Amino acid sequence: MYIKSLPSSFPSVPLYVLAGAEPTAELCANTPAKRWVVDHLPPSVRLRVADQLERLHSDWTCTCTQLVKIGLASLADWRRYVWSWLVVNTRCIHLGPQSTASSESMPPKASCLDMLLLPIGKRDSIALAPVLDLLNHSYQASVSTYFDAKCRRFVIKTLRPYHKGDEVFISYGPHDNGFMLAEYGFVLPDNPYCVLSLDHAVESWIRAIKSKLDALRARAPITTENIDTLVALVKQHGLWGDFALSLDTTEPPYRLQATLYLILAAMQGSGLKGAVSRWECWRHGKDINGVGAKAEAATLCWIKQTCTDIALHAQQMSSTIQTTESSPIDPFLVHCLGIIWSKIDAIARHHSRN
């Protein structure tokens, strides 16, 4: 009965569309539908889906290996596996490490199937819970959840009262719409956790800088190796990545400002040591004689210009999506992508003006 209650497909989940008919670990747009989806996914969502596909293919490879060992290779079916993987990914619950399921506790003559079906080592265990997955998500839901190991049950407690006849919600977590679409196949028009990730923009900008430096060679103020050293320094300080903007503030995140400041200071002729010195002074609020003002101004200028460019691109994407004929694309997926690009436009315009 539970299997019959599950969706027969996941047309609004990008991974379901992009996994294709044959096993693959890489995103490929070899059909009109897949090309459309790839072209209309924001960079951050595309990266997440690419990572999902790698994990899906890795799991598929491991599963096929085990099926061969136990003489059930004929059961291997890529599309059925994609469906099964998404059933688990979209509705599983986490039970935490289960020591009783560790490989050390397995009987000496445990079959390959036993090893396949049980968690490996003390890794986080997951499970499907019939009926529980009927609860819808709301960012306003206030609940506590935990697995009661003693009673062997998963407990959900609401922290707010409900009236008879009200729909009861749970929260999947404080995620933005890009995450929600990739993981669950839906978005929330009024999602307060929406952000604009500039990770892709920063990485593309740095690649462009390195390409330009390679072309200039001896005439360049710094080398590509210097850029790599600066990026490594940012990573050492735990400031690399998660360059996210939101509608809640006009101030760019510190980690974004710190990364841009360091690279721009080096590009402005300070050299490697000079850029690092200026950066350290700036980070500690000791901008002596205002020498860091130029880099700080360039940092804010970069953010505004990048957001202006992103807003323009988002408007173009929104326009394209509005004129898209749904077939063979799932109409709801088209609708969700329209909402995501609209929110990207709003956040980008917000920060391009401030």
Side-chain angles (χ1 to χ4, degrees):
M1 290 297 292
Y2 178 58
I3 296 296
K4 291 182 179 179
S5 74
L6 297 171
S8 59
S9 63
F10 296 88
S12 66
V13 177
L15 178 63
Y16 186 79
V17 179
L18 298 175
E22 300 294 333
T24 179
E26 298 181 359
L27 292 182
C28 57
N30 54 7
T31 68
K34 291 202 286 186
R35 168 52 60 192
W36 190 94
V37 174
V38 168
D39 288 345
H40 291 80
L41 288 177
S44 60
V45 182
R46 192 183 307 125
L47 286 173
R48 179 174 292 278
V49 176
D51 178 68
Q52 285 180 321
L53 187 55
E54 287 184 10
R55 290 188 285 114
L56 167 64
H57 188 265
S58 176
D59 290 348
W60 159 261
T61 301
C62 292
T63 300
C64 287
T65 299
Q66 296 299 327
L67 289 176
V68 169
K69 289 181 179 180
I70 59 178
L72 296 176
S74 61
L75 294 181
D77 182 299
W78 173 248
R79 287 309 296 179
R80 288 178 65 184
Y81 191 83
V82 172
W83 174 84
S84 302
W85 198 89
L86 285 172
V87 164
V88 175
N89 193 64
T90 58
R91 54 207 352 100
C92 71
I93 56 175
H94 291 258
L95 306 181
Q98 304 295 298
S99 58
T100 57
S102 68
S103 56
E104 292 81 7
S105 66
M106 292 290 294
K109 294 185 179 181
S111 69
C112 291
L113 186 58
D114 290 331
M115 295 298 293
L116 176 65
L117 296 179
L118 288 175
I120 300 173
K122 297 183 179 180
R123 191 174 62 184
D124 186 25
S125 301
I126 58 176
L128 293 176
V131 180
L132 183 152
D133 59 7
L134 296 177
L135 292 167
N136 284 323
H137 164 73
S138 171
Y139 66 84
Q140 296 177 319
S142 180
V143 298
S144 67
T145 62
Y146 62 93
F147 178 67
D148 188 330
K150 184 176 181 180
C151 298
R152 304 293 296 171
R153 64 183 180 184
F154 191 80
V155 180
I156 302 177
K157 290 185 177 181
T158 179
L159 304 180
R160 50 153 289 191
Y162 282 93
H163 299 293
K164 183 178 180 179
D166 289 348
E167 180 177 1
V168 178
F169 293 94
I170 58 174
S171 172
Y172 297 174
H175 304 302
D176 83 317
N177 277 340
F179 180 97
M180 299 298 291
L181 180 66
E183 297 293 331
Y184 304 113
F186 70 90
V187 301
L188 300 177
D190 59 344
N191 190 344
Y193 300 111
C194 284
V195 296
L196 167 59
S197 172
L198 295 186
D199 289 34
H200 180 265
V202 172
E203 291 167 1
S204 297
W205 172 65
I206 290 177
R207 284 196 298 271
I209 289 176
K210 294 171 69 174
S211 178
K212 183 178 179 180
L213 292 175
D214 281 337
L216 291 173
R217 297 184 181 276
R219 293 175 294 155
I222 55 174
T223 66
T224 56
E225 290 76 14
N226 291 156
I227 296 295
D228 291 336
T229 298
L230 296 176
V231 170
L233 179 62
V234 173
K235 291 180 178 179
Q236 289 173 13
H237 283 78
L239 298 172
W240 179 259
D242 194 21
F243 305 132
L245 305 178
S246 72
L247 288 172
D248 295 335
T249 178
T250 59
E251 181 74 13
Y254 173 76
R255 58 194 308 109
L256 174 61
Q257 293 188 63
T259 299
L260 296 176
Y261 185 102
L262 180 59
I263 305 297
L264 287 167
M267 292 297 294
Q268 290 172 348
S270 296
L272 181 62
K273 291 184 178 180
V276 173
S277 177
R278 287 171 58 183
W279 187 63
E280 291 293 354
C281 287
W282 174 82
R283 286 201 316 119
H284 294 90
K286 299 177 181 179
D287 188 7
I288 302 173
N289 299 322
V291 296
K294 186 177 179 182
E296 187 168 337
T299 295
L300 297 177
C301 182
W302 186 96
I303 294 172
K304 288 186 178 182
Q305 184 58 56
T306 298
C307 286
T308 298
D309 295 341
I310 290 175
L312 178 60
H313 179 62
Q315 291 161 21
Q316 294 171 342
M317 296 299 289
S318 295
S319 177
T320 301
I321 289 172
Q322 289 173 3
T323 58
T324 296
E325 295 183 3
S326 295
S327 183
I329 311 301
D330 180 70
F332 188 64
L333 174 56
V334 175
H335 173 71
C336 289
L337 286 169
I339 291 175
I340 288 177
W341 280 111
S342 177
K343 187 65 70 172
I344 288 175
D345 176 34
I347 298 174
R349 285 189 290 109
H350 176 69
H351 285 272
S352 68
R353 294 192 298 260
N354 297 295

